[in-house]
Amino acid sequence: MLNADVARRRDEAISRGVGMMTQIYADRALNAEIWDIEGNRYIDFAAGIAVVNTGHCHPKVMAAVTAQMAKFTHTCHQVLPYENYIRLAERLNAAVPGDFQKKTIFVTTGAEACENAVKIARIATGRNAVIAFGGGFHGRTFMGMSLTGKVEPYKKGFGAMMPDVFHVPFPMGPHGISTEDSMKGIEKLFKADLDPARVAAIIFEPVQGEGGFYEAPTDLVRAIRALCDKHGIVMIADEVQTGFARTGNLFAMQMHGVAADLTTMAKGLAGGLPLAAVTGKAELMDAANPGGLGGTYAGNPLGIAASHAVLDVIEEEQLCARANELGSRLKQRLESIRSTTPEISDIRGPGFMVAVEFANPGNKEPDAGFTGRVRMEALKRGLILLTCGVYGNVIRFLAPITIPDAHFAEAMDILEEAVAAARQG
């Protein structure tokens, strides 16, 4: 088979609403390497969008899933429960930041986790309104895209969004938006449009993913915490992309010294299998009536088994420390590239959740065209990169944290060549 042949079949069979970053059709993968159906090899700096933090086909994850497959693949926990579901909830209750009693529910996707967090906040508070941030991404379901702070492509053409969702600016240093601006946005909202006594929750990503890898400053996180405490608002940390060692901590909120009331997670939770969760204060998590939370595939046994293995691998292989080491090396290389690349306007991100932003050297405007050329030049050379950002001018680096040093070094050389080629083209 050829990629081009499969691409033609794809165009005939699959909705064009499913976007495609590449026309490379995967055949097999191992750790940070992927081979396509034509036998071409690539180094994967996407990791399924921060999903396989422990690498493609990690042997311990594969062994755990294989062992579970030999027992059963599905019963629906709400019909016939299973012990490892409960044990994983216990592990997450202990691991998620917060010095209070916690409980957990499992669902299937990050969007579901965010939706359920809003449901929990609403029933626990008896309020409806939710505050989110510009540039944030929380999914493609109706509540998910209503919370998302980016119109194109996520909201465009889909009609009216869910009511009682309000957006305020998120700090973006390169674009002149500060924590003060964000908090003034909330203050203005409270004065002009929204009684704080109607607000059920404030939801934010500790590091915005799709929005451009802008990190929430500690003073913002603490200000949100204080505001929530003052008005009885539930604080939701969306750790779907930041979770599970990516930022150099198991959870990004550990960097800030305060805890959210509810934490959503997915992606890296189960090493490539669909599993998501909400963990939070027990009194909030117990507000819903039995049957109000859950789902047919929520907490699928294979995903649960994989997640136990992922948590073991993170601990045994010290992946939080590894993320900090790799992120430091990546930033050093990007700084070296910046010395000859005036288009680089910013390098940022905690741990191995690193991004580089490009702007026109002359007028300092975001340069999505240059960013796209870098991505394509890297792809030609066998390195898979992802772009992001409100202006489409950011490259985010999401390689598996288990990437071998030799493959990381190879990727850095390709990256430097790609940037140089983009400058010429």
Side-chain angles (χ1 to χ4, degrees):
M1 288 187 292
L2 299 176
N3 286 312
D5 294 335
V6 179
R8 282 190 289 270
R9 290 168 51 201
R10 185 260 181 202
D11 290 342
E12 291 293 326
I14 305 297
S15 166
R16 74 184 189 94
V18 180
M20 298 276 288
M21 290 291 291
T22 75
Q23 291 292 341
I24 297 167
Y25 289 85
D27 179 59
R28 59 189 177 92
L30 182 64
N31 203 343
E33 297 176 283
I34 291 180
W35 289 265
D36 71 10
I37 57 176
E38 297 177 9
N40 301 306
R41 169 188 173 267
Y42 296 87
I43 300 175
D44 183 10
F45 263 55
I49 315 182
V51 168
V52 288
N53 290 353
T54 51
H56 293 283
C57 300
H58 191 289
K60 291 193 174 180
V61 176
M62 299 297 283
V65 174
T66 300
Q68 180 60 51
M69 286 180 67
K71 296 178 179 179
F72 59 92
T73 61
H74 177 76
T75 63
C76 184
H77 184 78
Q78 294 115 273
V79 179
L80 290 172
Y82 27 97
E83 182 274 338
N84 60 348
Y85 179 112
I86 297 164
R87 183 159 37 93
L88 183 59
E90 291 169 341
R91 295 180 76 173
L92 293 179
N93 292 341
V96 168
D99 187 18
F100 42 77
Q101 184 183 0
K102 306 184 199 78
K103 290 190 176 183
T104 291
I105 64 164
F106 293 107
V107 286
T108 310
T109 69
E112 273 189 277
C114 292
E115 294 245 352
N116 277 276
V118 170
K119 285 170 61 176
I120 291 163
R122 282 180 165 177
I123 196 168
T125 62
R127 305 173 180 183
N128 286 329
V130 182
I131 297 173
F133 286 86
F137 180 81
H138 303 286
R140 292 180 175 86
T141 56
F142 256 99
M143 178 55 77
M145 68 178 174
S146 298
L147 296 171
T148 291
K150 188 176 179 182
V151 171
E152 195 167 348
Y154 304 115
K155 301 182 182 184
K156 188 174 181 179
F158 289 114
M161 296 294 106
M162 297 291 288
D164 262 353
V165 175
F166 302 85
H167 289 89
V168 296
F170 190 83
M172 297 166 60
H175 302 281
I177 303 173
S178 65
T179 292
E180 184 179 3
D181 294 325
S182 297
M183 297 311 296
K184 282 183 176 178
I186 297 176
E187 181 182 351
K188 181 178 178 181
L189 190 63
F190 286 168
K191 289 186 179 297
D193 294 304
L194 181 62
D195 180 355
R198 285 208 307 111
V199 180
I202 298 177
I203 186 170
F204 69 100
E205 298 163 277
V207 183
Q208 288 197 333
E210 172 64 20
F213 276 34
Y214 298 102
E215 185 176 354
T218 294
D219 59 352
L220 174 73
V221 177
R222 292 181 176 176
I224 293 172
R225 178 71 275 171
L227 190 72
C228 289
D229 291 341
K230 178 180 178 180
H231 295 290
I233 298 168
V234 175
M235 181 182 185
I236 304 172
D238 179 348
E239 295 249 23
V240 168
Q241 191 162 157
T242 55
F244 303 100
R246 175 59 57 183
T247 64
N249 289 285
L250 192 63
F251 294 100
M253 284 295 289
Q254 292 172 261
M255 298 184 288
H256 301 298
V258 296
D261 299 308
L262 301 176
T263 298
T264 64
M265 63 203 88
K267 290 189 182 290
L269 172 60
L273 276 75
L275 182 68
V278 182
T279 298
K281 287 184 174 178
E283 61 267 29
L284 299 177
M285 299 296 293
D286 278 343
N289 294 316
L293 305 174
T296 301
Y297 293 102
N300 174 269
L302 302 181
I304 295 287
S307 185
H308 279 292
V310 164
L311 291 176
D312 291 343
V313 169
I314 289 172
E315 181 178 355
E316 292 165 4
E317 300 185 16
Q318 300 179 32
L319 293 191
C320 290
R322 176 67 172 167
N324 284 322
E325 175 193 347
L326 289 168
S328 177
R329 288 161 57 185
L330 174 54
K331 287 179 182 177
Q332 289 175 19
R333 189 60 174 265
L334 288 169
E335 290 291 355
S336 174
I337 295 171
R338 174 146 70 171
S339 66
T340 58
T341 310
E343 289 84 358
I344 294 180
S345 61
D346 195 35
I347 298 165
R348 58 177 175 269
F352 203 25
M353 192 170 181
V354 174
V356 59
E357 183 161 348
F358 297 101
N360 186 294
N363 58 23
K364 307 301 180 184
E365 291 296 315
D367 196 338
F370 183 85
T371 308
R373 291 199 302 275
V374 172
R375 185 183 74 83
M376 291 306 299
E377 291 292 345
L379 190 61
K380 291 177 188 176
R381 293 163 172 79
L383 175 63
I384 298 171
L385 299 175
L386 295 177
T387 59
C388 65
V390 175
Y391 304 100
N393 68 320
V394 178
I395 287 178
R396 49 180 160 171
F397 300 94
L398 288 171
I401 306 169
T402 52
I403 183 172
D405 285 340
H407 295 160
F408 179 81
E410 182 184 356
M412 292 300 95
D413 290 342
I414 293 173
L415 175 63
E416 187 160 356
E417 292 173 8
V419 172
R423 295 200 72 219
Q424 295 171 3

